[in-house]
Amino acid sequence: MISSVKRNQVVEITLDMANSMKLIAKKSFPQAKQVTDRFHIQKLALEAVQEVRIRFKWEALDNENTAITQAKLNKTQLISKEFSNGDTAKQLLTRIRFLLYKSPNKWSDCQKQRAIIVFAEYPEIKTVYYLSLKLRNIYNKNTDKLIAITKLAQWYNDVEKLEIKSFNTIMNTIKINYDSILNYFDNRRTNASAESFNAKIKAFRNQFRGVQKVDFFLFRLTKLFT
């Protein structure tokens, strides 16, 4: 049991956006400033981009199925439209998945070619991709909290103009956690080390296909990681 004197000496805690964790942190470390981990915010933005991609992919699948059915009814050969790189719409929207997680300077030549095609054919994907990239750059390039506030306000304006539900959800999430998100720019700390340790615990647990005796499991963890 850690004494209250020591717990009151903790000045900063990085955590995710779960309300339960915030309450636990507030009760356990009442003097600590809470910082929302940047990677949870960025993950939401990346998921929102993928949601837009998947929406267009379902439309492409639907169009392909309609074309196949129509070709069968007309007893004609189906000729699928292919882009300059040989991809059909369905293939293109499937294969761009991973490049949307990366910065443009990390794309391979093949990914660059696909990005040019998909951004020309689906401007909405281009818009949301660069919007998520802009949010990432706010974290990467700003060390001044006041500048970060200004940049975040500009990002809000861009999101409001889009009127895309998933990005509006991110915007509202940021508003709810606004203070703790901005606290990141004071010392630029994340909970990456805690996430890494959590991954090690999960891997250790999976190695033995679960935990039968919790006390013995915690004992083994203590011996391994201390």
Side-chain angles (χ1 to χ4, degrees):
M1 182 69 178
I2 303 173
S3 68
S4 60
V5 175
K6 287 186 177 181
R7 286 189 281 111
N8 286 337
Q9 292 175 354
V10 177
V11 296
E12 190 174 81
I13 299 174
T14 56
L15 67 169
D16 60 23
M17 292 174 287
N19 288 328
S20 57
M21 288 299 297
K22 289 182 178 181
L23 290 172
I24 291 169
K26 183 64 178 176
K27 186 174 181 180
S28 301
F29 307 100
Q31 303 302 318
K33 175 175 63 178
Q34 295 187 5
V35 179
T36 296
D37 184 40
R38 60 173 288 185
F39 296 108
H40 286 86
I41 300 295
Q42 289 177 230
K43 183 182 177 184
L44 286 177
L46 290 171
E47 288 174 349
V49 173
Q50 293 296 336
E51 184 178 296
V52 174
R53 176 190 69 85
I54 291 168
R55 170 159 52 84
F56 281 112
K57 180 182 175 181
W58 281 112
E59 288 179 9
L61 284 168
D62 191 39
N63 291 337
E64 184 182 84
N65 290 336
T66 301
I68 291 170
T69 302
Q70 194 63 42
K72 286 181 178 179
L73 290 173
N74 297 334
K75 296 182 179 180
T76 58
Q77 183 180 0
L78 175 66
I79 301 175
S80 299
K81 176 187 174 182
E82 293 184 352
F83 297 107
S84 58
N85 66 340
D87 287 344
T88 63
K90 180 183 72 175
Q91 291 169 338
L92 180 70
L93 291 163
T94 300
R95 292 168 180 171
I96 64 164
R97 176 187 173 190
F98 294 108
L99 74 84
L100 295 176
Y101 287 113
K102 301 179 180 179
S103 299
N105 62 337
K106 295 182 180 179
W107 289 340
S108 66
D109 291 338
C110 185
Q111 287 176 329
K112 288 177 182 177
Q113 186 182 15
R114 283 202 174 98
I116 291 171
I117 296 169
V118 78
F119 289 165
E121 293 290 327
Y122 305 96
E124 187 177 333
I125 294 179
K126 179 180 180 179
T127 301
V128 295
Y129 169 74
Y130 280 103
L131 198 58
S132 70
L133 199 64
K134 187 175 181 180
L135 180 62
R136 186 190 305 172
N137 287 336
I138 292 173
Y139 280 108
N140 289 343
K141 297 182 179 180
N142 294 287
T143 55
D144 189 306
K145 194 172 186 177
L146 293 176
I147 294 175
I149 291 172
T150 304
K151 295 290 185 181
L152 204 54
Q154 294 171 353
W155 188 83
Y156 280 167
N157 292 334
D158 293 340
V159 171
E160 287 177 341
K161 290 175 186 176
L162 273 183
E163 296 183 350
I164 294 177
K165 184 179 178 181
S166 54
F167 272 87
N168 285 336
T169 301
I170 298 171
M171 185 175 66
N172 292 331
T173 302
I174 291 175
K175 286 180 179 178
I176 292 171
N177 300 276
Y178 190 69
D179 291 334
S180 60
I181 287 173
L182 288 177
N183 285 340
Y184 166 79
F185 296 96
D186 290 330
N187 298 303
R188 298 181 65 83
R189 291 196 178 100
T190 72
N191 65 347
S193 58
E195 294 288 351
S196 175
F197 182 62
N198 188 41
K200 290 178 181 177
I201 293 175
K202 288 181 178 179
F204 182 67
R205 181 190 63 191
N206 293 337
Q207 183 180 354
F208 297 100
R209 295 179 176 82
V211 177
Q212 292 183 341
K213 294 183 178 180
V214 176
D215 53 348
F216 184 63
F217 177 74
L218 294 175
F219 170 77
R220 295 190 70 179
L221 284 179
T222 304
K223 291 297 181 182
L224 283 171
F225 296 109
T226 56

